[in-house]
Amino acid sequence: MRELVEQLASGHRLDKKSLSALLTACATDSHVLQLLRDNAVRTARQQFGLGIFIRGLIELSSYCRCDCMYCGLRRSNRTAERYRLTTEEVMACCKEGYNLGFRTFVLQGGEDGTHSDEWLVELISHIRSLYSDVAITLSLGERSEESYIKLKRAGANRYLLRHEAANEELYASLHPSSRGLQHRLACVEALKRAEYQVGMGMMIGVKGQTIEHIAEDLLLIEKYRPEMVGIGPFLPHHATPLGGEPAGDLNLTLAAVAIARLILPSALIPATTALATLTPRGRLEGILSGANVVMPNLSPSDVRAKYAIYENKASWGKEAAEGLKALESELQTIGYHIDFSRGDFNNLKQ
Ligand code: SAH
């Protein structure tokens, strides 16, 4: 396994068989996992030093037209509490975040049918006009190419659209009534054409997923070379069909994060909230596997519990300001600090 890690770390590609073997070894052998993570951390430090970029997450809406098997916001979940933020509420989140030093806002939400291009263009333009130096990231699911272009012109810079599963059958089993994997990938391609910095990624440990599937996910990421890669463990939500399934495995998630870092040295990779929810040290373990971004929540405190894609989402408490201090102290325990710059993708060192 040592050779496989060394090959990856020196920029060589691994095929599906080798990636699967490495992932399997990492899930069971702590020495292999540690070697992989050490290499990923070294690569991340060469790229970013000890600074961790922060992104302020604003959860726009819990209404969703999709019916993803794993997600608590799925339309069939009649018990989900639904809300949608008004323009004024979003602007208040941005104001608070900007004053705290955030220079990226991530507008994420379910696929809310009322989020028309017109409404979003106005919202994005408004943010852009008040805060010319921030990056605006969108994570609003599948939209038309025309829509992506309009939102980009209004001032958005980045778009997170995890591919969720590179394997057609797995994708179909997780997303009934969706337009399928090929459509999801067509959206990713449309976003690239529109010149967004694009984020892809997947959950680890969702029902039906095998080690080989994760290897396929990593190969898809290698093929598309997205600027951002989000990888977190699956977490069960009781009111979904996968509510009785176990959560994803920590070590396998850390291994996948580390491999993503070695495949794409300069990618922006978050230590995801799902990882922090799985285990209290999750965020730090993510960083110690090569992640270099965290996404604190800027949503109004009264709606946070309602944006329940999974349950018991980790957060630093209700106040964003307190949260930021807590994050800085947490990072200090492993020798890192918050980097308050915008943190755009920069592939000069790749
Ligand atoms: N509607 C947007 C945003 C989805 S939420 C979109 O379609 O892209 C962001 C991510 O959370 C999803 O891409 C999914 O990978 C992850 N997610 C959803 N439910 C989850 C769960 N139960 N456990 C872990 N991650 C989950």
Side-chain angles (χ1 to χ4, degrees):
M1 286 306 139
R2 183 169 286 275
E3 303 82 78
L4 291 184
V5 174
E6 277 160 13
Q7 279 176 32
L8 257 188
S10 58
H12 288 92
R13 296 172 168 217
L14 295 188
D15 61 11
K16 183 172 157 186
K17 207 166 149 229
S18 302
L19 281 174
S20 304
L22 181 56
L23 286 162
T24 304
C26 286
T28 51
D29 184 333
S30 61
H31 296 293
V32 178
L33 177 61
Q34 196 57 51
L35 181 69
L36 176 68
R37 294 176 70 197
D38 289 347
N39 275 277
V41 166
R42 188 174 319 123
T43 299
R45 285 196 193 159
Q46 279 162 5
Q47 297 287 329
F48 307 102
L50 295 168
I52 298 294
F53 295 126
I54 50 168
R55 320 300 197 193
L57 182 65
I58 303 171
E59 295 154 332
L60 288 193
S61 170
S62 66
Y63 287 90
C64 193
R65 64 165 83 95
C66 303
D67 218 17
C68 309
M69 299 292 271
Y70 44 80
C71 182
L73 302 185
R74 68 200 306 266
R75 66 159 189 259
S76 302
N77 180 7
R78 305 269 172 245
T79 61
E81 287 189 72
R82 309 288 174 175
Y83 74 90
R84 81 173 50 91
L85 298 184
T86 62
T87 301
E88 292 68 35
E89 287 170 319
V90 178
M91 295 314 297
C93 297
C94 292
K95 186 173 181 195
E96 184 182 17
Y98 192 87
N99 290 337
L100 288 168
F102 283 90
R103 290 297 177 269
T104 294
F105 300 130
V106 180
L107 309 182
Q108 185 175 82
E111 293 195 16
D112 183 333
T114 74
H115 282 166
S116 63
D117 290 347
E118 292 66 35
W119 187 78
L120 285 166
V121 162
E122 207 175 311
L123 176 69
I124 294 164
S125 314
H126 198 174
I127 299 174
R128 176 58 64 230
S129 69
L130 289 185
Y131 308 107
S132 59
D133 59 339
V134 301
I136 301 174
T137 304
L138 305 177
S139 179
L140 301 169
E142 298 177 19
R143 304 180 68 89
S144 68
E145 178 152 13
E146 191 193 355
S147 172
Y148 289 147
I149 292 169
K150 281 187 190 160
L151 305 183
K152 180 80 174 36
R153 286 204 186 120
N157 311 93
R158 310 181 188 142
Y159 204 107
L160 306 175
L161 189 75
R162 289 187 177 180
H163 66 279
E164 312 292 2
N167 178 277
E168 298 261 7
E169 291 90 74
L170 179 61
Y171 187 96
S173 77
L174 295 174
H175 306 97
S177 78
S178 81
R179 299 169 77 178
L181 176 62
Q182 292 315 318
H183 184 263
R184 188 103 180 152
L185 295 179
C187 287
V188 169
E189 280 159 24
L191 289 164
K192 280 178 167 255
R193 279 194 294 277
E195 298 183 349
Y196 283 89
Q197 295 170 47
V198 178
M200 294 172 72
M202 67 285 184
M203 283 169 280
I204 301 295
V206 68
K207 188 173 185 220
Q209 185 193 55
T210 63
I211 292 270
E212 285 72 25
H213 288 145
I214 302 173
E216 287 176 43
D217 288 322
L218 291 165
L219 288 171
L220 189 76
I221 285 168
E222 177 174 277
K223 179 173 162 203
Y224 276 76
R225 311 190 69 74
E227 286 78 15
M228 302 169 282
V229 181
I231 299 176
F234 159 73
L235 298 170
H237 184 295
H238 79 278
T240 64
L242 305 188
E245 300 297 325
D249 180 71
L250 174 64
N251 288 345
L252 202 49
T253 307
L254 298 178
V257 169
I259 294 175
R261 166 60 64 212
L262 294 175
I263 290 177
L264 297 176
S266 56
L268 299 157
I269 302 183
T272 54
T273 306
L275 200 46
T277 304
L278 183 69
T279 171
R281 272 183 60 87
R283 224 175 258 112
L284 299 182
E285 301 296 353
I287 291 165
L288 296 175
S289 304
N292 73 311
V293 172
V294 291
M295 298 170 66
N297 201 325
L298 286 179
S299 305
S301 51
D302 58 314
V303 306
R304 285 191 199 172
K306 299 181 190 163
Y307 192 79
I309 52 181
Y310 47 80
E311 288 156 303
N312 308 315
K313 216 171 4 154
S315 80
W316 289 275
K318 294 192 190 308
E319 294 297 326
E322 281 169 31
L324 215 52
K325 285 209 191 89
L327 173 62
E328 182 72 29
S329 331
E330 198 182 332
L331 293 178
Q332 270 174 18
T333 65
I334 54 167
Y336 285 74
H337 58 266
I338 296 175
D339 181 334
F340 282 93
S341 63
R342 229 174 92 137
D344 280 301
F345 178 77
N346 170 358
N347 70 356
L348 292 177
K349 294 189 204 155
Q350 192 153 353

